[in-house]
Amino acid sequence: MQNTSKINPAMQLATDYLETTNTIVFLTGKAGTGKTTFLQQLRQASTKKMAIAAPTGVAAINAGGMTIHSLFQIPFGPLIPATENPDLSYSDEKRELLGSLELLIIDEVSMVRPDVLDQIDLILRTIKGSAQPFGGVQLLLIGDLAQLSPIIREDEWRILSSYYSTPYFFSSLVMQRASYVRIELDHVYRQKEQAFVDILNEVRNQTISEASLALLNARHEPGFRPGAEDSFITLTTHNNLAQQLNAEFLEALPGQLYEFAATIRGDFPKDAYPTETNLKLKLGAQVMFVKNDGSAEKLFYNGKIGYVARIDGSTVYVQCGNESREIAVESVEWTNVKYQLAEEQEQINESEAGSFAQIPLKLAWSITIHKSQGLSFDKAIIDVSEAFAHGQAYVALSRCRTLTGMVLRNPISARNIIGDPSVTRFNQAAESIKPDADSLKRDQERYRLFLLTELFNFQGLKGVLKGFTGLAPNLEKDIMEVAEKFMRRPETADDERIRKAAAYFMDKLKATTENLHGQIPFLIGNSIEKAAKADRLIQWMMARISLLEYFTANPFTTYSFLEKKKTSKAAALADKARSYLRAMNAKPNEELLASILGWREERAAADRVMPNMLLSEQTAASIAEKLPQTLKALSGIKGVGPQKASIYGADIIGMIRAYQQKQSGQEIDQASLF
């Protein structure tokens, strides 16, 4: 992130806020100012445990994350604000994932309803056991309120309007009480013509002058029909019109119709399909790339337009403008990600929930304004004479790189530039409290105090003790109540008071841990599920004891807490916890389990993926316990499935047979392993 930030003070300020505070950041800016670039750089550089979410399937795939509704399992209808703890039917894995979250990025936040944001707040506060907005999780909200707004039906708004003044995220109850900063990116990278940039600013602010309107309408060319080689795309307000134009142009072309079928695996929502499942093309068809070129050559990008020059089997050759070479296009894959907490709990990993493979093209004589958001075009025919929603005209006009590359199908009038006064008021109010170096310093201190309360927040202990009733009889009196009193005024805690508090709670947790030694083995029995829960409990206790012990002798700072938190949850402690459990109650076929886990580490390193993406430890333990003898039996174990069984089955079943023959004293027939 540093290269861009050095030449962009707004990006540097946003980076500082995201690295050194947990203040909510609303990152906004005109179209083409680098919001998406900032997101992708942050995704690579941040050390915080993060997840990325977006309101729609397409936006989620483009951002490299999940939909909000999938990540938080939120229903689609209106959500009445609630103050009581929700009934969360989450798995233990989902609770741990959300409980470990430090940074939540929401892209295209202009389309997020306020009730959805309030529901996220309620869920995170409940899971984190914290009264802080979003349970203390930092949010990065990315979007431009001048662009597309939330889609809310009239019957939905009749319900929600009783609770919210506007349909935008900033009207949520949590944003009314949360401390947040609005950082605006103001350097436009997409457009270079200052006159065009000025016009777009006026459209964005609904302050377009007569002179600017006249300059825009000079681009109106009645009856304009581009030549086949001109690569113009028409932006329309309605989807049926875009589909009709594409179908008509395709049908008018002579020659053979080629069809390409998509391959869809696993969970990939229909609203996230980047192109047609049955893509129909002809030679001469105008097409648009719907993915960036992942190769070193970078021959195409999302939104680049050309025409089909030839088709050879499964390869489509596209000619773009006056470029000297055709681009050979073959099927590529989009991945629908899901998030998993790594076993050592030091990072949140992405894994594949499903995939969509298809030629990365779509017909491009026309596209809706809504689907064009985030794209850039060299040549576009724009029709906003029937604009019906806030931001449509601005989105359409700002897709163009130059004024000369734009043709208006119909003249634009001031009434076509639809704005929302509530957005204007919000932006004006936010402008008066722009963050600076002083506010950053203030928020860094707030973050230190928040982390201090986290050191003495034992709500997580309640969660990991679930199912082990009676193991900590004095939890409420000796730990929870005392901690609550301490956290009421963290700003008054000096180093000496922090050391004494750390020593007190460390002693209490150590006593509780000693109580576990004699009781857990009887509660676990031979249950792998209970053993896994006990594993999480021991890991939580050891990590917190390690943290508290450190601060009995060292000053509390933001840096020291974050660094010690990492090492306290490191793999070494997790291994100690697992060794402790195994000593109390050995898991079935421990030697085989060790072999499977060793193989997992080696294979993951070779495939350059996280070990947990191959097999979780719980899945490995299930394999070691059940000793499957066939691929079908292996695929039936939770966490494996047919795809992993086909890829890794020979290795795993080979280890099982080798282990069994060793146990029986037989020599191993290598050929029988495969």
Side-chain angles (χ1 to χ4, degrees), residues 528 593 616-628 637-638:
I528 289 178
L593 176 57
S616 70
E617 184 175 307
Q618 190 169 345
T619 299
S622 295
I623 294 171
E625 179 187 22
K626 296 177 181 178
L627 301 173
I637 293 176
K638 185 178 179 182

Side-chain angles (χ1 to χ4, degrees), residues 626-631 633-634 653 656-657 660:
K626 296 177 181 178
L627 301 173
Q629 298 297 306
T630 65
L631 292 180
L634 177 63
I653 292 175
I656 292 171
R657 292 181 184 176
Q660 289 177 314

Side-chain angles (χ1 to χ4, degrees), residues 36 39-40 43 57-65 107 274 290 302 334 373:
T36 300
L39 165 59
Q40 296 306 331
R43 184 184 183 194
V58 171
I61 294 297
N62 289 340
D107 197 20
V290 290
N302 189 9
W334 288 261
Q373 185 156 326

Side-chain angles (χ1 to χ4, degrees), residues 556-572:
F556 184 93
T557 66
T558 297
Y559 179 80
S560 64
F561 177 83
L562 294 176
E563 287 300 302
K564 186 58 186 174
K565 187 180 178 184
K566 287 179 184 178
T567 58
S568 69
K569 287 185 177 179

Side-chain angles (χ1 to χ4, degrees), residues 17-293:
Y17 258 97
L18 293 166
E19 287 182 350
T20 64
T21 80
N22 69 336
T23 301
I24 298 167
V25 176
F26 172 36
L27 185 72
T28 188
K30 309 175 184 70
T33 51
K35 297 185 293 295
T36 300
T37 300
F38 183 87
L39 165 59
Q40 296 306 331
Q41 291 177 341
L42 177 68
R43 184 184 183 194
Q44 298 298 321
S46 178
T47 58
K48 291 185 177 180
K49 294 197 277 285
M50 71 164 69
I52 301 171
T56 68
V58 171
I61 294 297
N62 289 340
M66 298 177 67
T67 64
I68 292 170
H69 293 84
S70 295
L71 180 60
F72 291 96
Q73 297 175 13
I74 296 174
F76 284 95
L79 302 163
I80 304 303
T83 54
E84 298 180 358
N85 291 347
D87 181 19
L88 301 177
S89 55
Y90 288 155
S91 64
D92 290 341
E93 290 78 10
K94 174 71 80 170
R95 282 182 174 273
E96 286 186 7
L97 170 70
L98 297 178
S100 70
L101 203 58
E102 295 171 336
L103 173 62
L104 172 64
I105 301 173
I106 299 181
D107 197 20
E108 302 291 6
V109 73
S110 68
M111 294 189 284
V112 176
R113 300 190 324 239
D115 58 317
V116 170
L117 209 60
D118 278 335
Q119 187 71 7
I120 294 172
D121 167 57
L122 183 59
I123 290 169
L124 291 176
R125 280 191 287 113
T126 302
I127 287 178
K128 290 278 192 176
S130 170
Q132 292 268 343
F134 302 103
V137 175
Q138 184 175 34
L139 264 66
L140 170 60
L141 308 172
I142 302 177
D144 181 6
L145 287 165
Q147 298 189 43
L148 301 178
S149 53
I151 299 173
I152 303 181
R153 299 196 307 266
E154 285 187 17
D155 58 325
E156 293 175 329
W157 185 239
R158 277 196 294 271
I159 297 171
L160 294 176
S161 61
S162 301
Y163 305 93
Y164 302 107
S165 58
T166 82
Y168 298 97
F169 77 92
F170 57 75
S171 291
S172 60
L173 304 182
V174 63
M175 292 299 285
Q176 304 303 310
R177 65 185 181 89
S179 173
Y180 66 92
V181 294
R182 175 183 176 274
I183 298 176
E184 181 169 358
L185 304 181
D186 52 12
H187 181 80
V188 178
Y189 295 96
R190 182 179 295 153
Q191 291 90 16
K192 305 300 182 185
E193 302 172 345
Q194 189 57 47
F196 189 29
V197 171
D198 293 341
I199 290 173
L200 291 177
N201 286 340
E202 291 181 17
V203 173
R204 186 173 189 264
N205 299 325
Q206 297 97 50
T207 57
I208 191 162
S209 65
E210 289 294 330
S212 294
L213 201 57
L215 200 56
L216 261 185
N217 283 321
R219 303 304 307 156
H220 174 223
E221 297 185 34
F224 175 78
R225 287 187 67 85
E229 71 287 350
D230 285 341
S231 301
F232 273 87
I233 186 169
T234 298
L235 275 63
T236 68
T237 51
H238 293 76
N239 189 51
N240 57 355
L241 180 56
Q243 290 179 333
Q244 179 185 339
L245 284 171
N246 284 327
E248 288 177 356
F249 276 104
L250 184 66
E251 187 177 350
L253 284 176
Q256 179 182 346
L257 183 69
Y258 296 84
E259 297 188 34
F260 300 87
T263 301
I264 303 164
R265 294 189 178 92
D267 178 20
F268 201 103
K270 288 185 177 180
D271 70 340
Y273 289 173
T275 187
E276 286 73 21
T277 55
N278 187 34
L279 179 63
K280 298 178 180 180
L281 299 175
K282 287 183 180 180
L283 299 185
Q286 183 164 293
V287 291
M288 176 177 70
F289 287 91
V290 290
K291 193 175 180 67
N292 295 329
D293 183 5

Side-chain angles (χ1 to χ4, degrees), residues 510-560:
K510 280 184 175 179
T512 302
T513 304
E514 290 172 6
N515 187 44
L516 301 179
H517 283 250
Q519 298 187 52
I520 278 186
F522 301 104
L523 293 171
I524 291 176
N526 289 319
S527 169
I528 289 178
E529 184 179 354
K530 285 188 176 180
K533 288 184 177 180
D535 193 13
R536 286 192 288 269
L537 170 59
I538 296 296
Q539 286 186 52
W540 194 99
M541 297 286 283
M542 292 182 72
R544 187 55 60 95
I545 288 170
S546 176
L547 262 179
L548 292 166
E549 187 171 27
Y550 180 82
F551 290 111
T552 60
N554 296 279
F556 184 93
T557 66
T558 297
Y559 179 80
S560 64

